[in-house]
Amino acid sequence: MTIAELPTGWEVWSEEPTRLVVVYRPDIFDTEAFPAPCLPTLYVTKGSRDRRPGRPDPDADDPWYVTLYLEPEVEGAREVYDDREGALSGARELAKAFDAGDLDYRSWYQVPRSAYLDRLDELTGRGT
């Protein structure tokens, strides 16, 4: 996946053969405008990110996962794909939906953080 293919505001943070990390607006999730730990992050991984310890490499037949986190403990959307290309396409679509304010990320919180979520709504256009 190249930066040119990503929706505006999303950047590749790291890329490996079986893992891609993409973040949303790292320029403003800087502890001043928005809290750094709340950096929305998309993980594209071959095999589950939470596979058991001692098994760092995925099996050849493991599926690809696309997972969006709003914070380290706040997992939102999670999709499963058969191959890397499908997962990359799914990640692009999820990134677009997030940026457009089309995802109900408020429902992902057990304890809503209203002030933060109101600001996130403004950033993503969800509040308009």
Side-chain angles (χ1 to χ4, degrees), residues 5 20 28 30 34 37 39 41-42 49 51 62 65 70-71 82 86 97 102 106 108 112 119 125 128:
E5 295 173 323
L20 174 70
I28 64 167
D30 61 0
F34 283 89
L39 177 68
T41 306
L42 269 169
R49 284 189 68 228
R51 62 182 160 261
D62 279 349
Y65 291 84
L70 288 188
E71 299 181 37
D82 293 330
D102 294 340
R106 287 176 176 266
W108 302 343
R119 291 176 60 215
T128 57

Side-chain angles (χ1 to χ4, degrees), residues 101-112:
D102 294 340
L103 300 178
D104 183 17
Y105 45 75
R106 287 176 176 266
S107 69
W108 302 343
Y109 280 82
Q110 290 181 359
V111 179

Side-chain angles (χ1 to χ4, degrees), residues 20-93:
L20 174 70
V21 180
V22 182
V23 296
Y24 183 70
R25 299 292 313 265
D27 59 319
I28 64 167
F29 284 87
D30 61 0
T31 70
E32 291 179 27
F34 283 89
C38 295
L39 177 68
T41 306
L42 269 169
Y43 289 91
V44 179
T45 58
K46 177 148 179 79
S48 176
R49 284 189 68 228
D50 48 336
R51 62 182 160 261
R52 68 183 181 275
R55 189 173 164 249
D57 297 323
D59 290 336
D61 61 346
D62 279 349
W64 284 83
Y65 291 84
V66 175
T67 311
L68 174 61
Y69 287 88
L70 288 188
E71 299 181 37
E73 300 299 321
V74 180
E75 180 181 320
R78 184 174 190 168
E79 309 268 335
V80 181
Y81 298 89
D82 293 330
D83 57 35
R84 179 180 169 89
E85 287 308 310
L88 293 177
S89 178
R92 277 191 295 275
E93 292 305 310

